Amino acid sequence: MSNVSRLSLASNSPSLQLLVLSNGHGEDVIAVRILQELQRQPNPPEIFALPLVGEGRAYQQLDIPLIGSVRTMPSGGFIYMDGRQLARDVRGGLLQLTLSQIKSVRRWVNYQKKLGNKRAILAVGDIVPLLFATFSGANYGFVGTAKSEYYVRDEAGLLPRKSKDARWENFSGSVYHPWERWLMSRRRCQAVFPRDVLTTETLKQWPIPALSLGNPMMDGLEPTFSRQQFYSRDAQQQETVRPLMVTLLPGSRAPEAYANWETIMIAVSALMASFQERNSVFYTSGTVIFLGAIAPGLDSNILSQSVQSQGWRSESASPIKISDPNLLIFKQRNAYLLLTQQAYNDCLHLGDLAIAMAGTATEQFIGLGKPAIAIPGNGPQYNPAFAEAQSRLLGSSLILVEQPAEVAEVVQSLFKDPDILQIIAENGLRRMGKPGAALRIAECLQERF
């Protein structure tokens, strides 16, 4: 076992020994948010991790020891959307890696048991880490990030679906199938944290310890600027003169994100052209600002070349304050386009709407009560199947278009009807929940473990 020295140190500690299992980069991030809150608790647990997909860099940044083998698979973790991706992962050693990880979990549990330590497992993601936790022999909790009842229903009832295969998704009365519910209803399962209230209430029909504590995806999104500026005495006057701001979310995974960015730039050009039409809601408006929220792992030079090929020229001064010393600024007519790799949260809060081709980022933007327009790409992540499923998850807050040029028409229709924007705001907050879930989950884990 790796990090044996850290494990031996753990034996001298009276606190709980906690192993976290997660299966994807997004799941790692959610797990880390909970772990950070756990570390702030009195008498925090000794924490270990095993990312089942990827290399677990989020854990390494917190100096959390990994207990077994990790490896990035060819699919990047998106095997559930494409059988070909699964085949590539199998050829890349997925089965051998999984067997090795199963042995690592059992070895860790047996080692802690031998030392007489109190031990528990937190599974974050879907049925895979949940399976690992169930058959580990330790008490466990489950943070369900992958499934939501909103995929098949809303508060009014089942969603209409064209495909007959769609009935399979909730054939037993829930998106969580009977075998998944069996795993969540075992005696060793101490708590289940679904991602929304609707899913929690559905799971409570069975003997499952489901708790509605919120979605950690909405934590850690505070902007660098004070929110008080939105509530100042002259806020209404400022709102009438401030520019329209559009957040651009191309995703974080290369090379897919670069192709997504090309598509988004076509939508931006179409949107700018629509502003020049006399019947446009924004015909007499002043400045328009596009905020490119770019993942740190992407090459900004590639994105800059795409921007400049669409007729944008470099500019030295930004029309708004963005906390990024490496901010790239471009201008075209009365519009600015800003590229930032350090001000993600600010881009979410400043945007009035988003043009989105991303997973988590789209959900977080909508969770702030704002509309997003999505253009399905060619995958492996943001493909038509993923986008369609995401539109069911997020409801009226996410509008799908087939072609980037259609974005302009949707924007015009949205801002002609304030009632729609109000409905979208309430819908996003309801589906994604209030901030603070990580702390609430951490406190619950301390109590139950």
Side-chain angles (χ1 to χ4, degrees), residues 167 201 395:
R167 297 174 187 172
E201 294 304 313

Side-chain angles (χ1 to χ4, degrees), residues 44-179:
E46 185 81 16
I47 299 169
F48 304 86
L50 181 59
L52 306 179
V53 173
E55 298 175 3
R57 290 176 183 170
Y59 296 115
Q60 294 174 35
Q61 289 172 0
L62 270 191
D63 197 28
I64 293 173
L66 307 183
I67 68 157
S69 301
V70 295
R71 192 188 311 166
T72 299
M73 289 287 108
S75 74
F78 298 118
I79 58 174
Y80 65 93
M81 278 171 277
D82 189 340
R84 291 171 298 181
Q85 300 289 341
L86 174 58
R88 289 174 62 204
D89 281 5
V90 170
R91 290 195 298 270
L94 176 62
L95 296 180
Q96 295 92 325
L97 177 65
T98 301
L99 288 172
S100 170
Q101 291 171 335
I102 290 171
K103 291 177 182 177
S104 294
V105 172
R106 288 179 176 172
R107 196 158 54 230
W108 182 87
V109 171
N110 289 335
Y111 187 80
Q112 298 298 342
K113 186 177 181 179
K114 183 179 178 181
L115 293 175
N117 289 332
K118 192 174 182 182
R119 57 213 170 271
I121 291 179
L122 179 63
V124 181
D126 58 19
I127 190 173
V128 178
L130 179 58
L131 269 170
F132 275 56
T134 303
F135 296 106
S136 69
N139 288 343
Y140 60 95
F142 175 53
V143 181
T145 65
K147 288 196 172 186
S148 167
E149 289 298 321
Y150 281 116
Y151 281 118
V152 298
R153 73 179 79 234
D154 58 18
E155 286 76 8
L158 288 175
L159 301 176
R161 302 289 297 282
K162 296 177 182 177
S163 170
K164 292 182 180 179
D165 295 337
R167 297 174 187 172
W168 168 252
E169 290 184 65
N170 69 317
F171 75 96
S172 65
S174 170
V175 289
Y176 280 105
H177 299 316
W179 48 90

Side-chain angles (χ1 to χ4, degrees), residues 349-370:
H349 283 272
L350 288 169
D352 297 299
L353 71 142
I355 303 174
M357 299 181 72
T360 300
T362 303
E363 295 176 31
Q364 290 174 325
F365 187 87
I366 281 172
L368 294 176
K370 305 175 184 190

Side-chain angles (χ1 to χ4, degrees), residues 214-377:
N215 189 339
M217 282 175 61
M218 296 309 299
D219 290 351
L221 299 179
E222 293 77 13
T224 59
F225 52 83
S226 171
R227 296 185 187 184
Q228 292 300 316
Q229 68 186 53
F230 294 115
Y231 305 102
S232 60
R233 281 181 294 180
D234 61 344
Q236 188 170 355
Q237 180 183 353
Q238 290 178 7
E239 186 67 18
T240 59
V241 299
R242 81 171 185 86
L244 172 72
M245 299 195 204
V246 182
T247 301
L248 310 177
L249 302 171
S252 59
R253 190 174 185 267
E256 181 181 357
Y258 300 130
N260 290 349
W261 183 254
E262 295 285 345
T263 301
I264 288 173
M265 287 307 301
I266 296 172
V268 166
S269 296
L271 187 56
M272 287 182 59
S274 75
F275 293 161
Q276 307 303 313
E277 299 172 2
R278 286 189 175 274
N279 63 347
S280 169
V281 179
F282 307 101
Y283 178 65
T284 58
S285 298
T287 305
V288 179
I289 299 175
F290 295 94
L291 302 167
I294 309 306
L298 297 179
D299 187 340
S300 60
N301 291 324
I302 294 175
L303 302 172
S304 296
Q305 290 169 10
S306 175
V307 170
Q308 290 171 317
S309 71
Q310 294 283 337
W312 297 81
R313 65 180 187 276
S314 293
E315 186 77 11
S316 57
S318 173
I320 56 173
K321 186 177 180 181
I322 293 284
S323 57
D324 181 356
N326 300 314
L327 181 69
L328 297 176
I329 308 160
F330 303 91
K331 188 176 183 185
Q332 185 178 153
R333 296 199 299 270
N334 65 326
Y336 287 85
L337 194 153
L338 312 180
L339 291 183
T340 174
Q341 294 180 291
Q342 297 182 33
Y344 173 73
N345 290 4
D346 287 359
C347 288
L348 294 187
H349 283 272
L350 288 169
D352 297 299
L353 71 142
I355 303 174
M357 299 181 72
T360 300
T362 303
E363 295 176 31
Q364 290 174 325
F365 187 87
I366 281 172
L368 294 176
K370 305 175 184 190
I373 305 168
I375 313 160

